[in-house]
Short mmCIF file of all heavy atoms in Angstrom, two decimals:
data_model
loop_
_atom_site.label_atom_id
_atom_site.label_comp_id
_atom_site.label_asym_id
_atom_site.label_seq_id
_atom_site.Cartn_x
_atom_site.Cartn_y
_atom_site.Cartn_z
N TRP G 34 -27.24 99.14 196.48
CA TRP G 34 -26.01 98.86 196.92
C TRP G 34 -25.43 97.59 196.53
O TRP G 34 -24.21 97.45 196.24
CB TRP G 34 -25.95 98.99 198.44
CG TRP G 34 -26.00 100.35 198.96
CD1 TRP G 34 -27.20 101.01 199.42
CD2 TRP G 34 -24.95 101.31 199.12
NE1 TRP G 34 -26.79 102.32 199.68
CE2 TRP G 34 -25.45 102.50 199.52
CE3 TRP G 34 -23.51 101.15 198.82
CZ2 TRP G 34 -24.66 103.62 199.78
CZ3 TRP G 34 -22.76 102.33 199.07
CH2 TRP G 34 -23.38 103.47 199.48
N ILE G 35 -26.27 96.49 196.56
CA ILE G 35 -25.72 95.18 196.29
C ILE G 35 -25.39 94.90 194.76
O ILE G 35 -24.51 94.11 194.45
CB ILE G 35 -26.65 94.04 196.84
CG1 ILE G 35 -25.83 92.75 197.06
CG2 ILE G 35 -27.77 93.86 196.05
CD1 ILE G 35 -24.73 92.80 198.07
N THR G 36 -26.24 95.55 193.88
CA THR G 36 -26.05 95.15 192.47
C THR G 36 -24.66 95.54 191.94
O THR G 36 -24.00 94.78 191.38
CB THR G 36 -27.11 95.91 191.60
OG1 THR G 36 -28.45 95.41 192.08
CG2 THR G 36 -26.95 95.61 190.18
N PRO G 37 -24.15 96.78 192.25
CA PRO G 37 -22.79 97.10 191.81
C PRO G 37 -21.77 96.29 192.36
O PRO G 37 -20.74 95.93 191.72
CB PRO G 37 -22.68 98.62 192.13
CG PRO G 37 -23.92 99.12 192.36
CD PRO G 37 -24.79 97.99 192.85
N LEU G 38 -21.94 95.93 193.64
CA LEU G 38 -21.00 95.03 194.37
C LEU G 38 -20.92 93.66 193.75
O LEU G 38 -19.83 93.10 193.49
CB LEU G 38 -21.35 94.94 195.85
CG LEU G 38 -21.07 96.22 196.63
CD1 LEU G 38 -21.56 96.08 198.08
CD2 LEU G 38 -19.63 96.68 196.72
N MET G 39 -22.05 93.12 193.48
CA MET G 39 -22.06 91.70 192.84
C MET G 39 -21.52 91.73 191.41
O MET G 39 -20.80 90.90 191.10
CB MET G 39 -23.51 91.15 192.90
CG MET G 39 -24.04 91.00 194.35
SD MET G 39 -23.05 89.89 195.23
CE MET G 39 -23.46 88.37 194.55
N ILE G 40 -21.86 92.78 190.66
CA ILE G 40 -21.39 92.87 189.34
C ILE G 40 -19.87 93.10 189.24
O ILE G 40 -19.16 92.52 188.51
CB ILE G 40 -22.13 93.90 188.54
CG1 ILE G 40 -23.54 93.54 188.21
CG2 ILE G 40 -21.41 94.28 187.17
CD1 ILE G 40 -24.39 94.55 187.65
N GLY G 41 -19.38 93.99 190.15
CA GLY G 41 -17.96 94.09 190.33
C GLY G 41 -17.26 92.77 190.75
O GLY G 41 -16.21 92.43 190.20
N GLY G 42 -17.82 91.98 191.68
CA GLY G 42 -17.26 90.77 192.00
C GLY G 42 -17.29 89.76 190.84
O GLY G 42 -16.39 89.03 190.65
N LEU G 43 -18.36 89.76 190.07
CA LEU G 43 -18.43 88.99 188.90
C LEU G 43 -17.32 89.31 187.88
O LEU G 43 -16.70 88.46 187.27
CB LEU G 43 -19.78 89.12 188.17
CG LEU G 43 -20.01 88.26 186.96
CD1 LEU G 43 -19.89 86.77 187.23
CD2 LEU G 43 -21.34 88.59 186.31
N ILE G 44 -17.07 90.65 187.71
CA ILE G 44 -16.04 91.05 186.72
C ILE G 44 -14.64 90.60 187.22
O ILE G 44 -13.80 90.10 186.47
CB ILE G 44 -16.14 92.63 186.56
CG1 ILE G 44 -17.31 92.97 185.67
CG2 ILE G 44 -14.86 93.12 185.88
CD1 ILE G 44 -17.62 94.46 185.62
N ILE G 45 -14.39 90.73 188.52
CA ILE G 45 -13.08 90.27 189.06
C ILE G 45 -12.98 88.76 188.91
O ILE G 45 -11.86 88.22 188.46
CB ILE G 45 -13.09 90.65 190.54
CG1 ILE G 45 -12.86 92.10 190.66
CG2 ILE G 45 -11.85 89.95 191.19
CD1 ILE G 45 -13.01 92.69 192.14
N PHE G 46 -14.01 88.03 189.07
CA PHE G 46 -14.04 86.52 188.90
C PHE G 46 -13.84 86.21 187.44
O PHE G 46 -12.99 85.31 187.19
CB PHE G 46 -15.36 86.01 189.42
CG PHE G 46 -15.35 84.43 189.28
CD1 PHE G 46 -14.48 83.67 189.96
CD2 PHE G 46 -16.33 83.81 188.53
CE1 PHE G 46 -14.52 82.29 189.95
CE2 PHE G 46 -16.41 82.41 188.47
CZ PHE G 46 -15.45 81.63 189.09
N MET G 47 -14.37 86.99 186.57
CA MET G 47 -14.16 86.64 185.10
C MET G 47 -12.65 86.95 184.73
O MET G 47 -12.17 86.26 183.89
CB MET G 47 -15.16 87.51 184.32
CG MET G 47 -16.52 87.06 184.39
SD MET G 47 -17.79 88.08 183.62
CE MET G 47 -17.64 87.59 181.91
N PHE G 48 -12.06 88.02 185.32
CA PHE G 48 -10.67 88.20 185.03
C PHE G 48 -9.77 87.02 185.54
O PHE G 48 -8.88 86.65 184.95
CB PHE G 48 -10.17 89.56 185.64
CG PHE G 48 -10.40 90.75 184.76
CD1 PHE G 48 -11.27 91.76 185.14
CD2 PHE G 48 -9.70 90.81 183.60
CE1 PHE G 48 -11.42 92.83 184.36
CE2 PHE G 48 -9.84 91.88 182.75
CZ PHE G 48 -10.77 92.94 183.10
N PHE G 49 -10.17 86.55 186.70
CA PHE G 49 -9.51 85.28 187.20
C PHE G 49 -9.68 84.13 186.21
O PHE G 49 -8.74 83.38 185.96
CB PHE G 49 -10.00 84.90 188.58
CG PHE G 49 -9.53 83.59 189.02
CD1 PHE G 49 -8.24 83.40 189.45
CD2 PHE G 49 -10.48 82.45 189.05
CE1 PHE G 49 -7.82 82.15 189.78
CE2 PHE G 49 -9.94 81.29 189.38
CZ PHE G 49 -8.67 81.02 189.83
#
Side-chain angles (χ1 to χ4, degrees):
W34 283 94
I35 199 67
T36 302
L38 291 174
M39 295 301 286
I40 291 174
L43 179 63
I44 288 173
I45 291 170
F46 183 60
M47 290 171 79
F48 273 114
F49 169 74

